[in-house]
């Protein structure tokens, strides 16, 4: 990560708090082997509670988790947090978890009347599907109404989301405003890195809300350019030597453009009114190694996607909003090796990687079931030692490191074979 002076950072405290709340929606977003939906939801709940209690974050320990649910298959998630001292609730959304497949996930070929109110305009079919999944699979609106009723005095309800959760927030801000009509609430929407969800009528309906929505975006984040301005991403986007979209990536972007355009020559979608963009001179980027010309198409594709993911990341937005690394969200652990990679129960192992924290545990996943390592010691943010649990001879286990933010991914480099 590189940060230079004049990076275009902001210092709006409310935006810092809302982006922190939005980033927490990604807690424990990936399902672990054999994990049931209720078990994952419980892990998400514990992770969000743990992070909301951290006074180092912009939320400063002032918010408490009231409710969290996932829609069917866990594709979308919503949670409600409360700041009782500020007479405020935040309704926070997470969209689908796969950034690189979001073009397919949020099927944009067919705009249709918004299920939350046809009078507000049209949205993409995929956005409607996600909206319906949340409204049908959870009791979000009635739960929120109940919380507001139980509270003393007028309440402010913030509707918040990052990425595809931001697209959800644009829709739910209109829907929940209607659901809370007569409850004496002030409803305000904050989105970060949100793609456009609907047509010009929908964008106008959203923009006309009072107080005005706050829509924050990074100039070098691909996602807010979808769907209305993907042409600006297709060719020259990152002004870094050697960092250009590969032929395959350009074809993927063009395919998304074609879907968004439908049968016409112009996009069917309109981006809502946004704040002035952050990072306009690309002073914050992932690494300076891009200054080496990449002639290999596969390598170019990998580096471009890496930069795309970094520019879209929650902590990148928090940095752009003026927060230091210590004030940003914990990252899920990344495990890169287990040494030795074979042995017996109670053998002392060393796990290397990054983003290790003192709350980490180590779990060995077998073909059926799992076992927890014992004597887990977090030496530093890159090294853990532990003792292997019981395992039948010949069994191969995937070793995962788990903390409040999530879990490390499966990898051949982090397998352990029991002799």
């Amino acid at each position: 990560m590189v940060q230079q002076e004049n990076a275009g950072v902001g210092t709006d405290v409310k935006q810092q708090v809302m982006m922190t709340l939005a980033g927490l929606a990604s807690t424990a977003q990936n399902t672990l082997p054999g994990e049931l939906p209720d078990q994952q939801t419980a892990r998400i709940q514990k992770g969000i509670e743990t992070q909301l209690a951290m006074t180092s974050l912009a939320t400063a320990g002032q918010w408490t988790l009231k409710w969290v649910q996932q829609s069917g298959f866990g594709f979308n998630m919503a949670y409600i947090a409360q700041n009782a001292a500020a007479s405020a609730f935040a309704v926070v959304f997470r969209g689908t978890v796969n950034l690189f497949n979001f073009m397919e996930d949020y099927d944009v070929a067919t705009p249709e009347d918004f299920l939350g109110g046809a009078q507000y305009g049209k949205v993409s079919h995929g956005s409607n599907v996600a909206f319906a999944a949340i409204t049908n699979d959870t009791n979000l609106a009635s739960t929120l109404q109940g919380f507001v009723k139980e509270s003393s005095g007028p309440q402010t309800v913030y509707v918040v989301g990052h990425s595809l959760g931001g697209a959800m927030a644009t829709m739910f801000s209109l829907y929940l405003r209607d659901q809370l009509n007569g409850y004496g609430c002030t409803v305000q929407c904050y989105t970060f890195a949100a793609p456009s969800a609907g047509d010009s009528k929908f964008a106008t309906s959203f923009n006309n809300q009072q107080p005005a929505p706050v829509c924050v975006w990074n100039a070098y984040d691909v996602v807010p350019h979808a769907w209305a301005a993907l042409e600006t991403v297709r060719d020259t986007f990152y002004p870094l030597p050697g960092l250009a979209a590969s032929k395959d990536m350009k074809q993927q972007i063009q395919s998304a453009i074609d879907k968004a355009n439908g049968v016409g020559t112009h996009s069917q979608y309109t981006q809502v009114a946004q704040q002035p963009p952050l990072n306009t001179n690309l002073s914050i980027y992932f690494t300076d190694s891009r200054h080496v010309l990449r002639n290999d198409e596969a390598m170019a594709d990998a580096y471009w996607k890496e930069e795309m993911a970094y520019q879209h990341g929650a902590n990148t937005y928090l940095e752009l909003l003026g927060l230091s690394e210590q004030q940003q969200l914990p990252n899920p652990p990344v495990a890169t090796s287990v040494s030795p990679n074979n042995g017996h129960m109670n053998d002392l192992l060393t796990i290397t990687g990054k983003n290790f924290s003192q709350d980490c545990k180590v779990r060995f996943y077998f073909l059926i079931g799992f076992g927890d390592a014992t004597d887990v010691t977090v030496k530093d943010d890159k090294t853990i030692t532990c003792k292997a649990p019981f395992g039948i001879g010949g069994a191969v286990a995937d070793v995962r490191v788990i903390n409040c933010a999530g879990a490390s991914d499966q990898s051949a480099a982090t397998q352990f074979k029991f002799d």
Side-chain angles (χ1 to χ4, degrees):
M1 179 272 294
V2 172
Q3 179 172 348
Q4 300 174 358
E5 294 182 2
N6 192 29
V9 297
T11 55
D12 187 305
V13 174
K14 184 64 70 61
Q15 291 183 20
Q16 293 173 345
V17 171
M18 293 300 134
M19 181 59 233
T20 300
L21 291 169
L24 288 174
S26 295
T27 297
Q29 61 184 341
N30 292 316
T31 307
L32 292 172
E35 189 174 52
L36 298 174
D38 287 349
Q39 293 172 326
Q40 185 187 12
T41 299
R43 189 162 56 92
I44 291 170
Q45 177 176 336
K46 182 178 179 181
I48 293 176
E49 288 173 339
T50 299
Q51 293 171 86
L52 283 177
M54 295 178 178
T55 56
S56 60
L57 302 182
T59 41
Q62 297 173 355
W63 293 78
T64 56
L65 183 66
K66 296 286 289 182
W67 175 92
V68 59
Q69 281 197 28
Q70 295 191 89
S71 64
F73 303 104
F75 291 144
N76 300 279
M77 183 273 275
Y79 77 86
I80 299 173
Q82 182 183 22
N83 184 334
S87 299
F89 289 94
V91 186
V92 189
F93 296 92
R94 187 203 76 211
T96 184
V97 300
N98 192 326
L99 172 62
F100 300 120
N101 288 337
F102 82 100
M103 295 172 182
E104 286 75 22
D105 294 335
Y106 271 54
D107 174 20
V108 293
T110 308
E112 54 193 28
D113 287 342
F114 174 39
L115 292 175
Q119 71 274 20
Y120 295 127
K122 295 181 181 295
V123 300
S124 71
H125 172 71
S127 294
N128 251 348
V129 168
F131 176 87
I134 294 174
T135 52
N136 295 336
D137 295 350
T138 75
N139 54 345
L140 172 62
S142 60
T143 298
L144 180 60
Q145 289 169 342
F147 289 152
V148 170
K149 278 184 179 180
E150 294 167 1
S151 303
S152 59
Q155 300 292 307
T156 299
V157 176
Y158 298 104
V159 185
V160 186
H162 169 256
S163 186
L164 296 172
M168 291 294 97
T170 61
M171 294 188 290
F172 272 95
S173 65
L174 292 166
Y175 170 73
L176 291 176
R177 185 180 296 272
D178 289 343
Q179 296 297 308
L180 293 172
N181 186 30
Y183 284 75
C185 293
T186 298
V187 178
Q188 184 171 25
C189 184
Y190 276 79
T191 72
F192 302 85
S196 52
D199 63 5
S200 59
K201 183 178 180 180
F202 177 85
T204 299
S205 300
F206 177 81
N207 295 338
N208 285 342
Q209 296 178 94
Q210 293 298 326
V214 178
C215 302
V216 179
W217 65 298
N218 169 3
Y220 287 99
D221 183 356
V222 170
V223 176
H225 290 78
W227 306 102
L230 278 174
E231 288 86 351
T232 61
V233 174
R234 179 186 53 211
D235 300 317
T236 302
F237 188 54
Y238 300 118
L240 296 174
L243 190 61
S246 66
K247 180 179 179 181
D248 178 63
M249 178 54 66
K250 288 181 179 179
Q251 289 174 343
Q252 290 183 47
I253 295 170
Q254 185 59 52
S255 174
I257 292 170
D258 292 341
K259 287 181 179 180
N261 288 346
V263 297
T265 57
H266 300 287
S267 175
Q268 304 168 89
Y269 299 96
T270 299
Q271 183 58 276
V272 299
Q274 298 171 301
Q275 301 294 297
L278 303 170
N279 206 22
T280 53
N281 60 357
L282 196 62
S283 293
I284 292 178
Y285 51 92
F286 183 64
T287 175
D288 59 1
S289 68
R290 306 297 183 270
H291 293 282
V292 178
L293 184 63
R294 307 289 176 181
N295 294 318
D296 181 88
E297 279 285 302
M299 184 67 76
D301 186 70
Y303 275 101
W304 199 92
K305 286 181 177 179
E306 190 176 66
E307 192 66 46
M308 173 185 172
Y310 177 77
Q311 294 296 333
H312 186 63
N315 277 337
T316 299
Y317 272 78
L318 290 174
E319 181 179 359
L320 288 167
L321 291 170
L323 294 176
S324 68
E325 186 175 351
Q326 291 70 33
Q327 296 170 300
Q328 294 168 20
L329 295 166
N331 287 304
V334 176
T336 54
S337 70
V338 176
S339 180
N341 59 10
N342 65 292
H344 307 86
M345 178 181 176
N346 289 329
D347 282 356
L348 184 64
L349 311 178
T350 298
I351 302 172
T352 58
K354 62 181 181 179
N355 303 335
F356 297 159
S357 54
Q358 290 301 318
D359 67 323
C360 281
K361 64 181 179 181
V362 178
R363 182 161 287 179
F364 286 60
Y365 285 94
F366 301 96
L367 185 61
I368 299 177
F370 62 82
D372 287 330
T374 58
D375 295 345
V376 176
T377 301
V378 180
K379 299 287 189 179
D380 53 41
D381 64 346
K382 298 180 177 64
T383 310
I384 291 175
T385 61
C386 63
K387 290 183 179 180
F390 171 78
I392 299 173
V396 176
D398 289 312
V399 182
R400 305 284 188 96
V401 180
I402 304 169
N403 71 3
C404 65
S408 60
D409 292 331
Q410 178 183 0
S411 168
T414 55
Q415 290 184 329
F416 182 85
K417 183 177 181 180
F418 287 84
D419 293 334

